[in-house]
Amino acid sequence: MITVKATINLDALRHNLSRVKQAAPDSKIISVIKANAYGHGILPVAKALLESDCFAVARLDEALILRESFLKNGITKEIIILEGVFSVEEYLQCMALKLIPVVNSLEQFQWLQDSLESENSLEPENSLERADKNSELNYWLKIDTGMHRLGLSEDELMVLIKKYQQLGENYLPSGFISHFACADEIDNPLNQIQISQFNQQYQQLSILKELPDIDKSMANSAAILSLPEAHFDWVRAGIMLYGISPFETSNVSRNGLDEQLKPVMTLSSEIIAIKKLKKGDCIGYGASWCCPEDMTIGVIAIGYGDGYPRHASCGTPVLIHGTEVPLVGRVSMDMITVDLRRLEQKSIAFQIGDKVILWGEGLPIERVSRKAGTIAYELLCQITQRVSFEYE
Ligand SMILES: *Cc1c(COP(=O)(O)O)cnc(C)c1O
């Protein structure tokens, strides 16, 4: 039976976490495991990363899966919900399950405020529970320093500070965060502008009397590796945990190995047919690639039905017996075709059933994503149900 496999190397994952620690030694680490841990499997990845100080996901449903598993296994790690939640009920759920939502807008703050007020109006027989729940209120506030996606603007922050003055200390966030737009471009001037904007906005809070310590967090993987002045109290490591360079999109192309990271996912399949074709024979849908001479073509069981990118262009590398061979012709749903001449030139024997690595160990995914006109993040998230996962 042919199995297309995603092999997840948990030691590599732990190595990459230690690399985060080394890069940001004075900060606590949030492991970002949204989108099913960037396609690697949220539960096994979380379990392998228990050395991190905290976890972050994007949405409530992801947080619920994680919290349920943590409860079963006696794990008490905090879980941050980066997009926050969107109703009073969801805030109450967060409080009950010790989830930390990010407040990204004044609307989200209003639901938070309403949910706290509804908690405080509980019947007396619930007062014990109330006291307990109140102490568990914990949220982070996000401000917009130039990404212009989520987060409060300068003016909105002033509105909120006025509310804090009326509502009191209980309503303050425990974290103050923002997100970079261009941290993967090391010299982009927006990075420094965002950092100074962030520090300035944080200063605004000092208008408040009896201001408790509010933690700061700004850095994603790219900033962890290149902007130490943005490390602050908490760093939020995503892509680098999976062994991938956050700088692959910048003009200096790097891969994870250049950052002393180890690839975590290796995607592999097998050769399912070997064809001898004649000069001029054209291959696959659209007959878009034609043999320049008589030659040997390998057919590999992997396609966009598995999450291999359909836009991978001719020449995208594929690894067979440690040698890179180029993809030729179009990617179809279940198969790709590769030019096997290089194996023949090197007198490397091959046959049906031989293992083929599409990315991972020995072949950085960044090289594949560049050839497919996308980023590794997308390739990882695109892996489909048909691929079987193995953890080692
Ligand atoms: C996804 C995400 C991260 C992690 O980003 P990487 O580039 O993968 O390190 C950090 N912070 C926020 C708010 C995110 O959404």
Side-chain angles (χ1 to χ4, degrees):
M1 194 172 67
I2 303 294
T3 30
V4 178
K5 268 193 300 197
T7 308
I8 308 300
N9 182 338
L10 298 173
D11 281 336
L13 197 58
R14 286 183 280 260
H15 164 86
N16 297 335
L17 178 62
S18 68
R19 180 73 183 94
V20 177
K21 281 205 176 107
Q22 181 194 35
D26 301 324
S27 306
K28 285 182 274 187
I29 299 173
I30 301 168
S31 287
V32 180
I33 54 173
K34 61 193 179 189
N36 197 28
Y38 291 50
H40 292 67
I42 187 168
L43 296 181
V45 165
K47 195 168 162 224
L49 294 177
L50 285 176
E51 291 279 298
S52 22
D53 299 289
C54 175
F55 290 99
V57 293
R59 313 226 170 102
L60 178 60
D61 54 353
E62 300 173 305
L64 294 176
I65 290 168
L66 199 57
R67 176 57 80 220
E68 186 187 329
S69 162
F70 281 2
L71 284 171
K72 272 191 202 139
N73 294 289
I75 299 162
T76 54
K77 285 268 140 96
E78 291 186 316
I79 302 170
I80 296 174
I81 305 173
L82 295 168
E83 285 180 4
V85 295
F86 296 88
S87 66
V88 170
E89 291 70 32
E90 289 182 351
Y91 271 108
L92 295 175
Q93 227 175 337
C94 288
M95 284 178 223
L97 291 170
K98 291 194 170 205
L99 306 172
I100 305 176
V102 173
V103 165
N104 292 292
S105 65
L106 290 177
E107 289 83 354
Q108 283 181 319
F109 184 80
Q110 188 61 52
W111 287 310
L112 171 84
Q113 191 184 331
D114 294 346
S115 64
L116 280 177
E117 280 160 11
S118 83
E119 277 288 278
N120 289 336
S121 64
L122 282 178
E123 296 298 309
E125 63 260 34
N126 288 332
S127 60
L128 246 182
E129 189 188 353
R130 186 189 72 199
D132 188 36
K133 278 189 179 160
N134 242 353
S135 63
E136 287 168 18
L137 164 66
N138 194 353
Y139 77 97
W140 285 22
L141 181 67
K142 183 166 187 173
I143 60 153
D144 179 8
T145 53
M147 176 82 167
H148 297 140
R149 201 177 53 181
L150 291 178
L152 271 64
S153 69
E154 230 176 315
D155 291 347
E156 289 169 331
L157 180 62
M158 284 317 295
V159 171
L160 189 58
I161 288 174
K162 292 218 174 74
K163 279 183 188 250
Y164 288 145
Q165 285 171 326
Q166 293 160 4
L167 293 168
E169 196 184 317
N170 272 349
Y171 285 77
L172 286 169
S174 51
F176 191 80
I177 81 172
S178 192
H179 195 52
F180 284 107
C182 304
D184 58 317
E185 297 167 24
I186 294 172
D187 299 322
N188 194 308
L190 186 57
N191 295 330
Q192 292 307 325
I193 294 171
Q194 285 195 261
I195 294 171
S196 69
Q197 183 71 13
F198 184 70
N199 285 320
Q200 248 171 345
Q201 302 290 13
Y202 188 80
Q203 276 306 310
Q204 303 284 349
L205 291 175
S206 57
I207 303 170
L208 298 165
K209 283 176 271 165
E210 296 168 54
L211 187 67
D213 254 357
I214 297 176
D215 284 347
K216 290 199 254 185
S217 172
M218 233 194 146
N220 56 2
S221 298
I224 289 168
L225 291 170
S226 69
L227 294 168
E229 66 274 39
H231 286 171
F232 299 116
D233 302 297
W234 293 87
V235 294
R236 310 190 298 268
I239 198 74
M240 69 182 289
L241 288 174
Y242 308 98
I244 292 156
S245 169
F247 303 113
E248 58 161 321
T249 51
S250 54
N251 28 13
V252 241
S253 293
R254 299 207 227 168
N255 65 48
L257 300 173
D258 300 317
E259 320 295 344
Q260 292 103 54
L261 300 167
K262 294 183 181 167
V264 174
M265 180 195 290
T266 296
L267 182 68
S268 66
S269 184
E270 292 172 28
I271 302 177
I272 56 168
I274 294 164
K275 316 229 351 148
K276 303 273 182 203
L277 297 182
K278 294 266 179 266
K279 177 176 179 178
D281 287 347
C282 299
I283 297 170
Y285 287 119
S288 62
W289 194 88
C290 305
C291 299
E293 59 182 3
D294 293 1
M295 59 185 284
T296 309
I297 291 292
V299 182
I300 319 293
I302 189 101
Y304 60 83
D306 305 289
Y308 191 83
R310 199 182 85 90
H311 293 291
S313 53
C314 285
T316 303
V318 156
L319 198 65
I320 303 177
H321 297 309
T323 292
E324 284 182 22
V325 298
L327 182 134
V328 293
R330 282 191 198 157
V331 173
S332 42
M333 187 184 289
D334 312 309
M335 281 166 269
I336 59 171
T337 40
V338 298
D339 172 358
L340 293 176
R341 285 177 296 178
R342 209 172 288 160
L343 292 180
E344 291 172 330
Q345 284 155 14
K346 293 173 80 174
S347 304
I348 297 171
F350 52 85
Q351 58 181 0
I352 290 177
D354 284 357
K355 182 177 177 181
V356 179
I357 290 178
L358 288 316
W359 64 63
E361 195 69 54
L363 178 58
I365 190 173
E366 294 91 331
R367 299 206 19 231
V368 179
S369 57
R370 243 170 259 138
K371 278 285 194 181
T374 184
I375 54 175
Y377 295 74
E378 186 185 30
L379 296 191
L380 295 170
C381 290
Q382 252 172 211
I383 296 288
T384 68
Q385 294 276 324
R386 187 162 72 175
V387 175
S388 66
F389 277 69
E390 282 180 11
Y391 294 86
E392 59 182 29

